[in-house]
Protein backbone atom coordinates (compact mmCIF):
# COMPACT_ATOMS: atom_id res chain seq x y z
CA UNK A 1 0.00 0.00 0.00
CA UNK A 2 1.19 3.53 -0.75
CA UNK A 3 -1.15 5.24 1.71
CA UNK A 4 -4.01 4.61 4.11
CA UNK A 5 -7.62 3.92 3.41
CA UNK A 6 -10.72 3.50 5.56
CA UNK A 7 -13.98 1.69 6.21
CA UNK A 8 -17.63 2.21 7.18
CA UNK A 9 -21.01 0.63 6.43
CA UNK A 10 -24.77 0.92 6.08
CA UNK A 11 -27.47 -1.68 6.40
CA UNK A 12 -29.02 -3.16 3.30
CA UNK A 13 -32.44 -2.00 4.45
CA UNK A 14 -31.26 1.56 4.83
CA UNK A 15 -29.64 1.51 1.41
CA UNK A 16 -32.79 0.23 -0.23
CA UNK A 17 -35.11 2.58 1.63
CA UNK A 18 -33.16 5.80 1.84
CA UNK A 19 -30.00 5.63 -0.24
CA UNK A 20 -29.55 5.66 -3.99
CA UNK A 21 -28.17 2.33 -5.19
CA UNK A 22 -25.10 2.79 -7.37
CA UNK A 23 -26.00 3.18 -11.05
CA UNK A 24 -29.73 3.30 -10.38
CA UNK A 25 -32.26 6.12 -10.49
CA UNK A 26 -34.94 4.27 -8.50
CA UNK A 27 -35.28 4.30 -4.74
CA UNK A 28 -38.14 1.82 -4.41
CA UNK A 29 -36.19 -1.31 -5.31
CA UNK A 30 -36.62 -4.45 -3.21
CA UNK A 31 -34.07 -4.83 -0.43
CA UNK A 32 -30.96 -6.82 -1.39
CA UNK A 33 -30.25 -10.15 0.21
CA UNK A 34 -28.21 -10.07 3.39
CA UNK A 35 -24.58 -10.99 2.84
CA UNK A 36 -23.40 -14.34 4.17
CA UNK A 37 -20.70 -14.58 6.82
CA UNK A 38 -17.22 -14.80 5.31
CA UNK A 39 -15.33 -17.65 7.04
CA UNK A 40 -12.22 -16.25 8.72
CA UNK A 41 -10.48 -19.63 8.42
CA UNK A 42 -10.82 -19.48 4.64
CA UNK A 43 -9.39 -15.97 4.47
CA UNK A 44 -6.50 -17.03 6.70
CA UNK A 45 -5.84 -20.02 4.43
CA UNK A 46 -5.33 -17.61 1.52
CA UNK A 47 -3.08 -15.41 3.66
CA UNK A 48 -1.00 -18.45 4.59
CA UNK A 49 -0.77 -19.48 0.94
CA UNK A 50 0.62 -16.05 0.02
CA UNK A 51 3.14 -16.30 2.87
CA UNK A 52 4.26 -19.71 1.61
CA UNK A 53 4.62 -18.32 -1.90
CA UNK A 54 6.84 -15.52 -0.60
CA UNK A 55 8.89 -17.91 1.52
CA UNK A 56 9.51 -20.14 -1.48
CA UNK A 57 10.40 -17.24 -3.79
CA UNK A 58 13.08 -15.15 -2.14
CA UNK A 59 10.97 -13.77 0.70
CA UNK A 60 8.73 -11.40 -1.27
CA UNK A 61 5.95 -11.13 -3.83
CA UNK A 62 7.15 -7.96 -5.52
CA UNK A 63 6.55 -6.81 -9.09
CA UNK A 64 8.83 -8.57 -11.54
CA UNK A 65 9.75 -11.29 -9.03
CA UNK A 66 8.64 -14.93 -9.25
CA UNK A 67 6.66 -14.61 -6.02
CA UNK A 68 4.29 -12.14 -7.64
CA UNK A 69 3.49 -14.34 -10.61
CA UNK A 70 3.01 -17.32 -8.28
CA UNK A 71 0.53 -15.23 -6.29
CA UNK A 72 -1.40 -14.42 -9.46
CA UNK A 73 -1.46 -18.09 -10.44
CA UNK A 74 -2.79 -19.09 -7.01
CA UNK A 75 -5.69 -16.64 -7.14
CA UNK A 76 -6.52 -17.36 -10.77
CA UNK A 77 -6.72 -21.11 -10.14
CA UNK A 78 -9.13 -20.53 -7.24
CA UNK A 79 -11.33 -18.24 -9.31
CA UNK A 80 -11.34 -20.45 -12.39
CA UNK A 81 -12.41 -23.44 -10.32
CA UNK A 82 -15.29 -21.37 -8.87
CA UNK A 83 -16.69 -20.52 -12.32
CA UNK A 84 -15.28 -17.03 -12.91
CA UNK A 85 -14.18 -15.76 -16.29
CA UNK A 86 -10.62 -14.60 -15.65
CA UNK A 87 -8.04 -12.78 -17.70
CA UNK A 88 -4.51 -11.53 -17.21
CA UNK A 89 -3.62 -8.03 -18.37
CA UNK A 90 0.11 -7.68 -19.05
CA UNK A 91 2.07 -4.46 -18.67
CA UNK A 92 5.70 -3.40 -18.24
CA UNK A 93 7.09 -1.31 -15.40
CA UNK A 94 10.71 -0.69 -14.36
CA UNK A 95 11.85 -3.03 -17.11
CA UNK A 96 9.85 -5.99 -15.76
CA UNK A 97 6.61 -7.64 -16.82
CA UNK A 98 3.61 -7.24 -14.55
CA UNK A 99 0.08 -8.57 -14.56
CA UNK A 100 -3.36 -7.51 -13.42
CA UNK A 101 -5.79 -10.34 -12.70
CA UNK A 102 -9.41 -9.58 -13.66
CA UNK A 103 -12.29 -11.88 -12.72
CA UNK A 104 -15.88 -11.49 -13.93
CA UNK A 105 -18.78 -13.31 -12.30
CA UNK A 106 -21.19 -14.47 -15.04
CA UNK A 107 -24.52 -12.70 -15.02
CA UNK A 108 -25.84 -9.28 -14.14
CA UNK A 109 -26.23 -6.23 -16.33
CA UNK A 110 -22.98 -5.86 -18.30
CA UNK A 111 -23.69 -2.14 -18.68
CA UNK A 112 -23.89 -1.70 -14.90
CA UNK A 113 -20.70 -3.01 -13.30
CA UNK A 114 -19.75 -2.96 -9.63
CA UNK A 115 -15.99 -3.51 -9.37
CA UNK A 116 -13.86 -4.27 -6.33
CA UNK A 117 -10.09 -4.49 -6.19
CA UNK A 118 -6.93 -4.93 -4.15
CA UNK A 119 -3.25 -4.83 -4.99
CA UNK A 120 -1.50 -8.19 -4.93
CA UNK A 121 2.16 -7.16 -5.00
CA UNK A 122 4.44 -6.63 -2.01
CA UNK A 123 7.48 -4.44 -1.60
CA UNK A 124 10.78 -6.20 -2.26
CA UNK A 125 11.75 -5.97 1.43
CA UNK A 126 9.26 -8.57 2.65
CA UNK A 127 6.32 -10.87 1.92
CA UNK A 128 3.70 -8.13 2.18
CA UNK A 129 1.15 -10.08 4.17
CA UNK A 130 -0.81 -7.23 5.76
CA UNK A 131 0.17 -5.00 2.83
CA UNK A 132 -1.60 -6.36 0.94
CA UNK A 133 -2.09 -10.07 1.37
CA UNK A 134 -4.96 -9.27 3.73
CA UNK A 135 -6.94 -7.16 1.27
CA UNK A 136 -6.23 -9.59 -1.56
CA UNK A 137 -7.26 -12.60 0.54
CA UNK A 138 -10.39 -11.04 2.00
CA UNK A 139 -11.55 -9.99 -1.44
CA UNK A 140 -10.75 -13.42 -2.90
CA UNK A 141 -12.85 -15.20 -0.28
CA UNK A 142 -15.75 -12.80 -0.86
CA UNK A 143 -15.53 -13.58 -4.58
CA UNK A 144 -15.52 -17.31 -3.85
CA UNK A 145 -18.53 -16.84 -1.57
CA UNK A 146 -20.36 -15.15 -4.44
CA UNK A 147 -19.78 -18.34 -6.42
CA UNK A 148 -20.64 -20.76 -3.60
CA UNK A 149 -23.96 -19.04 -3.00
CA UNK A 150 -24.60 -18.51 -6.73
CA UNK A 151 -25.31 -14.86 -6.00
CA UNK A 152 -27.08 -13.31 -9.00
CA UNK A 153 -27.61 -9.58 -8.40
CA UNK A 154 -28.83 -6.93 -10.79
CA UNK A 155 -25.34 -5.56 -11.38
CA UNK A 156 -22.44 -7.37 -13.01
CA UNK A 157 -19.70 -8.13 -10.48
CA UNK A 158 -16.05 -7.69 -11.44
CA UNK A 159 -12.98 -8.18 -9.27
CA UNK A 160 -9.41 -7.00 -9.89
CA UNK A 161 -6.05 -7.73 -8.29
CA UNK A 162 -3.45 -5.14 -9.27
CA UNK A 163 0.23 -5.43 -9.98
CA UNK A 164 3.00 -2.91 -9.26
CA UNK A 165 0.95 -0.82 -6.84
CA UNK A 166 4.03 -0.38 -4.70
CA UNK A 167 5.83 1.23 -7.67
CA UNK A 168 3.21 3.95 -8.07
CA UNK A 169 -0.21 2.44 -8.70
CA UNK A 170 1.02 1.16 -12.04
CA UNK A 171 -1.31 -1.79 -12.62
CA UNK A 172 -4.61 -0.15 -11.71
CA UNK A 173 -3.72 3.00 -13.63
CA UNK A 174 -2.83 0.90 -16.68
CA UNK A 175 -6.16 -0.90 -16.43
CA UNK A 176 -8.30 2.24 -16.25
CA UNK A 177 -6.31 4.16 -18.86
CA UNK A 178 -6.58 1.31 -21.36
CA UNK A 179 -10.33 0.85 -20.99
CA UNK A 180 -12.28 2.33 -23.91
CA UNK A 181 -14.53 5.17 -22.81
CA UNK A 182 -17.64 3.07 -23.32
CA UNK A 183 -16.25 0.38 -20.99
CA UNK A 184 -15.21 2.88 -18.30
CA UNK A 185 -18.74 4.28 -18.36
CA UNK A 186 -20.13 0.85 -17.49
CA UNK A 187 -18.28 0.77 -14.14
CA UNK A 188 -20.71 2.43 -11.72
CA UNK A 189 -18.60 2.01 -8.60
CA UNK A 190 -15.16 0.82 -7.46
CA UNK A 191 -14.35 -0.50 -3.96
CA UNK A 192 -10.69 -0.68 -2.84
CA UNK A 193 -9.24 -2.88 -0.09
CA UNK A 194 -5.65 -2.14 0.88
CA UNK A 195 -4.47 -3.41 4.31
CA UNK A 196 -7.42 -4.78 6.31
CA UNK A 197 -5.63 -6.72 9.07
CA UNK A 198 -3.17 -4.32 10.70
CA UNK A 199 -1.84 -5.64 14.04
CA UNK A 200 -2.86 -2.46 15.94
CA UNK A 201 -5.93 -1.85 13.82
CA UNK A 202 -7.93 1.27 13.22
CA UNK A 203 -11.28 1.00 11.48
CA UNK A 204 -11.25 3.53 8.69
CA UNK A 205 -13.60 4.12 5.76
CA UNK A 206 -12.77 6.20 2.71
CA UNK A 207 -14.53 9.56 2.93
CA UNK A 208 -16.78 10.44 0.01
CA UNK A 209 -15.92 14.11 0.41
CA UNK A 210 -14.24 15.42 -2.75
CA UNK A 211 -14.80 12.14 -4.59
CA UNK A 212 -16.99 11.55 -7.67
CA UNK A 213 -20.74 11.80 -7.27
CA UNK A 214 -22.15 8.54 -5.93
CA UNK A 215 -19.21 7.84 -3.62
CA UNK A 216 -21.39 8.58 -0.58
CA UNK A 217 -23.43 5.43 -1.32
CA UNK A 218 -20.25 3.36 -1.18
CA UNK A 219 -19.10 5.06 2.02
CA UNK A 220 -22.40 4.26 3.70
CA UNK A 221 -22.39 0.68 2.45
CA UNK A 222 -18.92 0.13 3.87
CA UNK A 223 -19.94 1.64 7.22
CA UNK A 224 -22.99 -0.62 7.53
CA UNK A 225 -21.37 -3.81 8.82
CA UNK A 226 -19.49 -1.96 11.54
CA UNK A 227 -22.62 -0.11 12.57
CA UNK A 228 -24.39 -3.44 12.84
CA UNK A 229 -21.74 -4.95 15.14
CA UNK A 230 -21.24 -1.80 17.22
CA UNK A 231 -17.70 -0.99 16.09
CA UNK A 232 -17.09 2.74 15.54
CA UNK A 233 -15.36 3.84 12.37
CA UNK A 234 -13.54 6.96 11.26
CA UNK A 235 -13.57 8.58 7.86
CA UNK A 236 -10.28 9.34 6.22
CA UNK A 237 -9.32 11.36 3.17
CA UNK A 238 -7.47 8.93 0.93
CA UNK A 239 -6.26 11.35 -1.66
CA UNK A 240 -4.60 9.71 -4.65
CA UNK A 241 -2.20 7.21 -3.12
CA UNK A 242 -3.94 3.86 -3.60
CA UNK A 243 -5.60 1.95 -6.42
CA UNK A 244 -8.90 3.83 -6.24
CA UNK A 245 -7.12 6.91 -7.66
CA UNK A 246 -7.33 6.11 -11.37
CA UNK A 247 -11.00 5.22 -11.03
CA UNK A 248 -11.73 8.49 -9.24
CA UNK A 249 -9.90 10.46 -11.95
CA UNK A 250 -12.16 8.75 -14.50
CA UNK A 251 -15.22 9.99 -12.60
CA UNK A 252 -16.15 6.60 -11.14
CA UNK A 253 -17.57 6.60 -7.58
CA UNK A 254 -15.08 5.05 -5.15
CA UNK A 255 -14.76 3.83 -1.59
CA UNK A 256 -12.67 1.50 0.51
CA UNK A 257 -11.57 0.09 3.84
CA UNK A 258 -8.27 0.44 5.71
CA UNK A 259 -6.84 -0.54 9.12
CA UNK A 260 -3.81 1.76 9.12
CA UNK A 261 -0.15 1.69 8.11
CA UNK A 262 2.75 3.71 9.57
CA UNK A 263 0.48 6.29 11.24
CA UNK A 264 0.33 6.41 15.05
CA UNK A 265 -2.81 5.46 16.95
CA UNK A 266 -4.08 8.21 19.24
CA UNK A 267 -5.21 7.70 22.83
CA UNK A 268 -8.82 8.35 21.80
CA UNK A 269 -8.60 5.74 19.07
CA UNK A 270 -7.02 3.21 21.42
CA UNK A 271 -9.85 3.73 23.89
CA UNK A 272 -12.61 3.08 21.34
CA UNK A 273 -10.85 0.32 19.39
CA UNK A 274 -8.95 -1.42 22.18
CA UNK A 275 -5.54 -0.81 20.62
CA UNK A 276 -2.23 0.64 21.82
CA UNK A 277 -1.86 4.41 21.79
CA UNK A 278 1.38 5.94 20.62
CA UNK A 279 2.09 2.88 18.48
CA UNK A 280 1.85 2.54 14.70
CA UNK A 281 -1.15 0.76 13.28
CA UNK A 282 1.37 -1.47 11.50
CA UNK A 283 4.92 -1.38 12.85
CA UNK A 284 6.02 -3.76 10.10
CA UNK A 285 4.72 -1.60 7.26
CA UNK A 286 6.97 -2.19 4.21
CA UNK A 287 9.39 -4.27 6.28
CA UNK A 288 10.53 -7.89 6.30
CA UNK A 289 8.44 -8.56 9.43
CA UNK A 290 5.20 -8.08 7.50
CA UNK A 291 4.45 -11.81 7.79
CA UNK A 292 1.43 -13.81 8.92
CA UNK A 293 2.31 -12.91 12.53
CA UNK A 294 1.68 -9.27 11.57
CA UNK A 295 -2.08 -9.72 11.11
CA UNK A 296 -4.88 -9.04 13.58
CA UNK A 297 -7.42 -11.82 13.04
CA UNK A 298 -10.35 -9.85 14.46
CA UNK A 299 -9.74 -6.94 12.10
CA UNK A 300 -9.32 -9.31 9.18
CA UNK A 301 -12.60 -11.03 10.02
CA UNK A 302 -14.57 -7.82 10.50
CA UNK A 303 -13.28 -6.25 7.33
CA UNK A 304 -13.88 -9.33 5.20
CA UNK A 305 -17.48 -9.39 6.40
CA UNK A 306 -17.76 -5.65 5.71
CA UNK A 307 -16.57 -6.20 2.13
CA UNK A 308 -19.31 -8.76 1.61
CA UNK A 309 -21.97 -6.56 3.20
CA UNK A 310 -21.09 -3.69 0.88
CA UNK A 311 -20.93 -5.78 -2.29
CA UNK A 312 -24.21 -7.53 -1.53
CA UNK A 313 -26.00 -4.27 -0.76
CA UNK A 314 -24.57 -2.17 -3.61
CA UNK A 315 -25.06 -4.74 -6.36
CA UNK A 316 -28.81 -4.34 -6.42
CA UNK A 317 -31.78 -6.64 -5.99
CA UNK A 318 -31.41 -10.30 -6.79
CA UNK A 319 -33.17 -11.58 -9.89
CA UNK A 320 -35.92 -14.07 -9.07
CA UNK A 321 -34.81 -17.65 -9.65
CA UNK A 322 -35.90 -19.44 -12.78
CA UNK A 323 -37.54 -22.86 -12.88
CA UNK A 324 -35.94 -25.79 -11.09
CA UNK A 325 -35.80 -29.34 -12.46
CA UNK A 326 -34.82 -32.40 -10.40
CA UNK A 327 -34.26 -36.11 -10.86
CA UNK A 328 -34.69 -37.77 -7.42
CA UNK A 329 -34.27 -41.34 -8.69
CA UNK A 330 -31.38 -43.43 -7.37
CA UNK A 331 -28.82 -44.58 -9.93
CA UNK A 332 -26.27 -47.15 -8.75
CA UNK A 333 -22.59 -46.43 -9.44
CA UNK A 334 -20.85 -49.81 -9.73
CA UNK A 335 -17.09 -50.10 -9.47
CA UNK A 336 -15.16 -48.97 -12.58
CA UNK A 337 -18.29 -47.90 -14.46
CA UNK A 338 -19.95 -44.87 -16.05
CA UNK A 339 -23.61 -44.08 -15.35
CA UNK A 340 -25.97 -41.25 -16.31
CA UNK A 341 -29.06 -39.66 -14.79
CA UNK A 342 -31.25 -37.56 -17.13
CA UNK A 343 -33.33 -34.42 -16.59
CA UNK A 344 -35.63 -33.20 -19.36
CA UNK A 345 -36.02 -29.42 -19.38
CA UNK A 346 -39.09 -27.88 -21.00
CA UNK A 347 -40.70 -24.48 -21.11
CA UNK A 348 -37.53 -22.43 -20.63
CA UNK A 349 -37.11 -19.91 -23.46
CA UNK A 350 -33.77 -19.31 -25.12
CA UNK A 351 -30.41 -20.41 -23.78
CA UNK A 352 -29.40 -21.62 -20.35
CA UNK A 353 -27.98 -18.96 -17.99
CA UNK A 354 -24.31 -18.06 -17.68
CA UNK A 355 -24.47 -19.29 -14.08
CA UNK A 356 -26.53 -22.47 -14.29
CA UNK A 357 -26.79 -23.94 -10.80
CA UNK A 358 -26.26 -27.70 -10.55
CA UNK A 359 -27.23 -29.40 -7.30
CA UNK A 360 -25.56 -32.78 -6.73
CA UNK A 361 -26.19 -35.44 -4.08
CA UNK A 362 -23.93 -38.45 -4.67
CA UNK A 363 -23.39 -41.10 -2.00
CA UNK A 364 -20.03 -42.82 -2.46
CA UNK A 365 -17.43 -44.34 -0.16
CA UNK A 366 -14.48 -42.63 -1.90
CA UNK A 367 -15.22 -39.50 -3.92
CA UNK A 368 -11.61 -39.38 -5.11
CA UNK A 369 -12.67 -42.14 -7.56
CA UNK A 370 -15.29 -39.97 -9.26
CA UNK A 371 -15.31 -37.88 -12.42
CA UNK A 372 -18.60 -35.96 -12.71
CA UNK A 373 -19.82 -34.05 -15.76
CA UNK A 374 -23.00 -32.22 -16.67
CA UNK A 375 -23.86 -33.08 -20.27
CA UNK A 376 -25.91 -30.54 -22.22
CA UNK A 377 -28.57 -31.59 -24.75
CA UNK A 378 -26.09 -31.14 -27.62
CA UNK A 379 -23.57 -33.48 -25.94
CA UNK A 380 -21.21 -30.83 -24.59
CA UNK A 381 -19.78 -31.93 -21.24
CA UNK A 382 -19.07 -29.53 -18.36
CA UNK A 383 -16.82 -31.03 -15.70
CA UNK A 384 -17.75 -30.21 -12.10
CA UNK A 385 -15.62 -32.77 -10.23
CA UNK A 386 -12.46 -34.60 -11.25
CA UNK A 387 -11.24 -37.06 -8.62
CA UNK A 388 -10.74 -34.38 -5.97
CA UNK A 389 -11.31 -34.80 -2.26
CA UNK A 390 -8.94 -37.65 -1.52
CA UNK A 391 -10.29 -40.22 0.91
CA UNK A 392 -13.44 -38.25 1.78
CA UNK A 393 -16.77 -39.84 1.02
CA UNK A 394 -19.84 -38.51 -0.81
CA UNK A 395 -20.13 -35.54 -3.18
CA UNK A 396 -22.84 -33.10 -2.23
CA UNK A 397 -23.20 -29.43 -3.00
CA UNK A 398 -24.07 -26.83 -5.58
CA UNK A 399 -21.88 -26.17 -8.60
CA UNK A 400 -22.10 -23.39 -11.18
CA UNK A 401 -21.40 -23.77 -14.89
CA UNK A 402 -21.47 -21.22 -17.71
CA UNK A 403 -24.04 -22.81 -20.02
CA UNK A 404 -25.01 -19.64 -21.87
CA UNK A 405 -24.11 -21.20 -25.25
CA UNK A 406 -26.57 -24.08 -24.68
CA UNK A 407 -30.25 -24.18 -25.57
CA UNK A 408 -32.07 -24.64 -22.28
CA UNK A 409 -34.75 -27.09 -23.40
CA UNK A 410 -33.82 -30.72 -23.96
CA UNK A 411 -32.37 -33.61 -22.04
CA UNK A 412 -29.50 -32.83 -19.69
CA UNK A 413 -27.52 -35.61 -18.03
CA UNK A 414 -25.38 -36.02 -14.96
CA UNK A 415 -22.59 -38.39 -16.02
CA UNK A 416 -20.62 -40.08 -13.24
CA UNK A 417 -17.56 -42.20 -13.90
CA UNK A 418 -16.04 -44.40 -11.20
CA UNK A 419 -12.41 -44.40 -12.32
CA UNK A 420 -10.84 -46.69 -9.71
CA UNK A 421 -11.64 -49.95 -7.99
CA UNK A 422 -12.81 -50.96 -4.51
CA UNK A 423 -15.54 -48.35 -3.84
CA UNK A 424 -19.13 -47.96 -5.02
CA UNK A 425 -22.06 -45.62 -4.49
CA UNK A 426 -25.12 -44.08 -6.09
CA UNK A 427 -26.53 -40.86 -7.50
CA UNK A 428 -29.09 -39.99 -4.84
CA UNK A 429 -30.53 -36.99 -6.71
CA UNK A 430 -29.49 -34.01 -8.77
CA UNK A 431 -31.08 -30.78 -10.00
CA UNK A 432 -30.79 -27.83 -12.37
CA UNK A 433 -31.79 -24.32 -11.29
CA UNK A 434 -32.29 -21.96 -14.24
Amino acid sequence: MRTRTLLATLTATALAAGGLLIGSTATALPAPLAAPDIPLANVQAHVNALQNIATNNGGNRAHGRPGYRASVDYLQAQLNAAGYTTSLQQFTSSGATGWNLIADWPGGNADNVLMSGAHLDSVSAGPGINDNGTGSSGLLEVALTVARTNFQPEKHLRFGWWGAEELGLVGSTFYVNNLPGTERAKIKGYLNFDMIGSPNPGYFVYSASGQPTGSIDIQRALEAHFTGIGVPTELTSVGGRSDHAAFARAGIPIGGLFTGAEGIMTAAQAQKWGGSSGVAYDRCYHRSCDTTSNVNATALDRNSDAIATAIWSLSGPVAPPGPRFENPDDVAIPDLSTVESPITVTGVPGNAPSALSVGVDIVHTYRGDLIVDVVAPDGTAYNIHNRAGGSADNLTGTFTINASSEVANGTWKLRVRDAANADVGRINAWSLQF
Side-chain angles (χ1 to χ4, degrees):
M1 179 180 189
R2 292 176 57 81
T3 188
R4 309 180 181 83
T5 54
L6 349 123
L7 51 95
T9 56
L10 178 68
T11 64
T13 300
L15 275 172
L20 182 65
L21 294 173
I22 296 295
S24 171
T25 58
T27 57
L29 294 172
L33 290 179
D37 179 71
I38 303 302
L40 174 61
N42 292 4
V43 181
Q44 290 173 319
H46 303 314
V47 169
N48 290 336
L50 294 178
Q51 175 68 71
N52 289 337
I53 287 170
T55 300
N56 294 331
N57 289 278
N60 67 69
R61 302 179 302 100
H63 166 77
R65 308 290 181 87
Y68 179 72
R69 181 54 197 257
S71 299
V72 171
D73 291 344
Y74 170 76
L75 265 69
Q76 187 173 30
Q78 297 271 328
L79 294 159
N80 285 343
Y84 278 83
T85 300
T86 65
S87 61
L88 293 183
Q89 183 183 43
Q90 183 175 320
F91 60 88
T92 301
S93 180
S94 300
T97 300
W99 293 274
N100 293 323
L101 170 60
I102 309 299
D104 284 89
W105 178 237
N109 183 351
D111 293 326
N112 194 354
V113 177
L114 179 67
M115 188 168 189
S116 303
H119 78 86
L120 187 55
D121 64 315
S122 74
V123 293
S124 59
I129 297 305
N130 185 40
D131 184 18
N132 184 37
T134 55
S136 293
S137 297
L139 188 61
L140 173 61
E141 188 56 31
V142 170
L144 296 179
T145 303
V146 166
R148 278 196 301 272
T149 59
N150 193 28
F151 184 45
Q152 292 296 318
E154 175 190 47
K155 293 179 178 62
H156 177 78
L157 298 181
R158 179 175 299 156
F159 299 85
W161 286 267
W162 312 117
E165 187 269 358
E166 299 291 4
L167 300 185
L169 318 177
V170 177
S172 56
T173 302
F174 183 86
Y175 174 80
V176 175
N177 289 352
N178 282 276
L179 280 175
T182 54
E183 293 301 312
R184 283 199 301 270
K186 294 176 181 178
I187 302 176
K188 307 304 182 183
Y190 172 75
L191 286 66
N192 193 59
F193 304 106
D194 193 351
M195 301 177 66
I196 63 170
S198 300
N200 189 33
Y203 291 92
F204 299 103
V205 181
Y206 289 13
S207 172
S209 178
Q211 300 299 338
T213 301
S215 297
I216 188 62
D217 294 324
I218 299 178
Q219 175 191 310
R220 290 170 176 167
L222 289 166
E223 288 168 338
H225 176 73
F226 296 98
T227 300
I229 63 174
V231 174
T233 58
E234 289 185 10
L235 295 178
T236 189
S237 178
V238 293
R241 295 176 57 195
S242 194
D243 288 305
H244 65 283
F247 292 87
R249 287 195 297 270
I252 297 168
I254 62 94
L257 299 178
F258 177 57
T259 51
E262 77 277 23
I264 304 300
M265 181 175 287
T266 67
Q269 290 173 332
Q271 183 175 9
K272 69 181 176 183
W273 289 328
S276 300
S277 65
V279 177
Y281 304 107
D282 183 355
R283 287 176 287 185
C284 289
Y285 176 64
H286 284 186
R287 297 173 59 193
S288 61
C289 57
D290 187 11
T291 65
T292 51
S293 62
N294 191 48
V295 174
N296 182 287
T298 299
L300 183 62
D301 189 24
R302 289 170 172 173
N303 280 278
S304 298
D305 287 336
I307 294 171
T309 298
I311 289 175
W312 255 253
S313 63
L314 290 169
S315 55
V318 176
R324 182 177 183 275
F325 299 83
E326 180 179 16
N327 187 337
D329 297 334
D330 288 357
V331 177
I333 307 172
D335 212 17
L336 296 171
S337 67
T338 299
V339 300
E340 293 180 342
S341 176
I343 288 177
T344 299
V345 174
T346 59
V348 180
N351 284 11
S354 57
L356 178 61
S357 180
V358 182
V360 174
D361 181 6
I362 296 175
V363 176
H364 197 276
T365 52
Y366 192 88
R367 71 182 181 206
D369 287 358
L370 300 180
I371 300 171
V372 183
D373 298 305
V374 177
V375 183
D378 68 356
T380 302
Y382 297 84
N383 183 257
I384 60 173
H385 178 82
N386 192 354
R387 303 195 68 177
S391 60
D393 58 7
N394 304 334
L395 179 64
T396 58
T398 301
F399 302 83
T400 301
I401 61 173
N402 184 351
S404 59
S405 63
E406 306 291 345
V407 174
N409 292 332
T411 299
W412 296 72
K413 299 175 182 177
L414 187 72
R415 177 186 296 161
V416 181
R417 178 187 170 200
D418 187 310
N421 58 20
D423 290 272
V424 297
R426 69 179 184 275
I427 302 173
N428 213 29
W430 74 290
S431 64
L432 295 170
Q433 176 74 64
F434 286 82

